[in-house]
Amino acid sequence: MAKHDTGRVVVRRKRAYGESHHGGSWKIAYADFMTAMMAFFLVMWLLLLIPKKDLQSIAEYFRMPLMTAITGGEKMDNTRSKIPGGDPSVIPNPNPLPSSSLDSDAEARADQADQENLENLKEQLDNLIEHNPVLRQFRPQLLLDMTPDGLRIQILDQQNRPMFATGSAVVQSYMRDILRELAPLISELPNSITISGHTDAMRYATGDRNYSNWELSADRANAARRELVAGGLIENKIKRILGLGDTVDLIQDDPMAAVNRRISILVLNRRAERRIDEQNAAGQEGMKIRERLEQLRNPASDSRGGESGSTPSPQTGSVPASGAGSVDTPAIQPAPAVSAPDAGAAPGQGAPTVSPPAGQSTDAPAASPAGASGNQG
């Protein structure tokens, strides 16, 4: 009897793996985080309870450099370093960087102090106007305001009380009193000033060809300068005089309004003075560039047998070179001058005529320009 082969039976069972125990380290990290948050909010709460006058001393304590705390000295650390005492470093540096940041900080502090001085000047002028019997009656005509360029003092005109005589730069007596009362206070600060004259839109009969609002506004500004100097203003404090005509109206909707006729005295701050000085310096650079261009247009001749630095004449016929044959060049003759046709010439006789050479006279009288007259309407 044959033996039956039933085969081998293999039973595979999947082994169950349990997660390994990781311990409680996360609890420690979480506890540290919560402790830090609690400490942070506790510090914020305490800062709210501390008076503001005591916060400065606390800030000084945390800003004290380490080397200063050890060796003694200035407690405040005004440097921009993130690390207290890190700037300047206690380790000497043979190649230090330029202190541009320190210069900019000092300049910013100086600008801030200058702005405060101008605001104090505004308060002093307000008090002077309120308590001075001369200026109190002109309070509606005085306007003080702070601008990006400094303190602006505007003396406005009124229909029944003009500052100047009509159409002229003659200062009225009360305008003279106003300027001479303001001069001592303006002169106390080292700041320079600019004086601007403004007019209304009413024009002269001749328009802008001769004496116009431009000249009138400039003359009135210069007249105000004279009165300020007579009142005690230092002369070299005046930076510039401007005549603006009717281009900057105080009331845009009514260019004929009386308040548009005014004198503006601007006490410049440091930034405005630097900008004006930079503009003037740019003009000087432009002058140097023009001089250089003129030198390039008229270069000095070479010293090849001629005198160094001499320029050849345009009428020279030939220029001989030393040691070589001469090169003939045609003489340059000036073009004949052409005169305009006579104003009274008949039609067909207006052909241009060539003027005689220099040294010869002619009997024909010179024609004056048509319409020229010494009296302009």
Side-chain angles (χ1 to χ4, degrees):
M1 181 175 175
K3 186 176 180 180
H4 297 287
D5 188 8
T6 58
R8 186 179 178 181
V9 178
V10 179
V11 179
R12 298 179 182 275
R13 289 186 176 89
K14 184 182 292 186
R15 180 179 299 178
Y17 294 93
E19 295 182 359
S20 61
H21 183 69
H22 51 72
S25 59
W26 66 272
K27 299 178 183 178
I28 298 175
Y30 183 72
D32 292 341
F33 171 74
M34 294 302 297
T35 303
M37 292 297 295
M38 183 182 66
F40 172 74
F41 286 110
L42 182 62
V43 170
M44 297 298 293
W45 176 65
L46 290 175
L47 290 178
L48 290 177
L49 297 180
I50 297 175
K52 291 184 177 180
K53 61 181 181 179
D54 297 334
L55 292 177
Q56 182 66 25
S57 59
I58 297 176
E60 291 179 4
Y61 174 79
F62 287 103
R63 293 175 62 185
M64 181 186 299
L66 180 60
M67 292 302 298
T68 303
I70 297 174
T71 60
E74 190 69 25
K75 293 183 178 181
M76 290 294 293
D77 183 16
N78 296 321
T79 62
R80 299 175 63 89
S81 175
K82 302 299 182 183
I83 303 175
D87 187 16
S89 176
V90 294
I91 303 175
N93 187 4
N95 299 315
L97 295 175
S99 58
S100 58
S101 60
L102 298 179
D103 295 340
S104 60
D105 290 345
E107 191 170 305
R109 287 194 295 269
D111 290 343
Q112 181 66 27
D114 182 64
Q115 184 70 17
E116 293 176 358
N117 292 336
L118 291 179
E119 292 175 355
N120 293 334
L121 175 61
K122 182 176 181 297
E123 294 179 359
Q124 294 177 11
L125 290 175
D126 285 330
N127 294 331
L128 178 65
I129 294 172
E130 291 296 332
H131 298 89
N132 191 305
V134 177
L135 297 179
R136 188 186 308 161
Q137 55 183 334
F138 304 110
R139 187 67 181 92
Q141 293 182 249
L142 295 174
L143 180 61
L144 308 179
D145 61 336
M146 297 297 298
T147 67
D149 290 339
L151 173 61
R152 181 174 57 185
I153 307 168
Q154 297 190 86
I155 307 175
L156 310 179
D157 207 346
Q158 285 188 349
Q159 196 65 37
N160 55 351
R161 186 184 286 170
M163 298 177 297
F164 298 90
T166 304
S168 71
V170 178
V171 182
Q172 300 289 358
S173 60
Y174 43 83
M175 177 63 175
R176 182 179 298 109
D177 296 337
I178 294 174
L179 293 173
R180 296 191 179 187
E181 291 291 337
L182 295 177
L185 272 181
I186 298 175
S187 186
E188 289 181 359
L189 291 181
N191 304 64
S192 301
I193 68 171
T194 64
I195 306 174
S196 304
H198 304 266
T199 63
D200 55 16
M202 183 176 297
R203 299 185 178 277
Y204 283 81
T206 56
D208 291 344
R209 292 175 296 175
N210 293 318
Y211 195 88
S212 63
N213 286 336
W214 293 104
E215 289 81 8
L216 178 62
S217 59
D219 290 344
R220 287 181 173 180
N222 197 29
R225 178 198 62 81
R226 288 193 295 266
E227 297 301 332
L228 287 172
V229 172
L233 181 68
I234 303 175
E235 295 183 7
N236 57 7
K237 289 173 63 68
I238 301 173
K239 199 77 170 177
R240 58 186 178 184
I241 303 294
L242 301 176
L244 301 178
D246 59 339
T247 57
V248 185
D249 292 333
L250 197 61
I251 300 179
Q252 301 289 339
D253 299 335
D254 188 5
M256 295 292 182
V259 294
N260 290 331
R261 303 188 297 267
R262 65 195 188 279
I263 294 294
S264 297
I265 303 171
L266 182 61
V267 184
L268 298 171
N269 54 30
R270 289 166 49 88
R271 290 189 300 271
E273 289 190 41
R274 286 197 300 267
R275 186 177 65 250
I276 294 175
D277 293 338
E278 290 172 0
Q279 292 174 355
N280 295 336
Q284 295 174 0
E285 292 296 330
M287 182 64 68
K288 294 179 181 178
I289 293 174
R290 285 195 293 271
E291 292 177 357
R292 180 58 180 166
L293 291 177
E294 289 295 333
Q295 293 176 0
L296 293 177
R297 291 194 189 99
N298 302 319
S301 63
D302 294 336
S303 57
R304 298 179 303 169
E307 189 173 315
S308 176
S310 63
T311 57
S313 174
Q315 281 81 14
T316 304
S318 62
V319 181
S322 60
S326 62
V327 179
D328 294 335
T329 57
I332 302 175
Q333 299 294 335
V338 179
S339 61
D342 190 88
Q349 298 178 0
T353 60
V354 179
S355 60
Q360 296 184 10
S361 62
T362 176
D363 296 334
S368 60
S373 174
N375 188 5
Q376 296 290 338

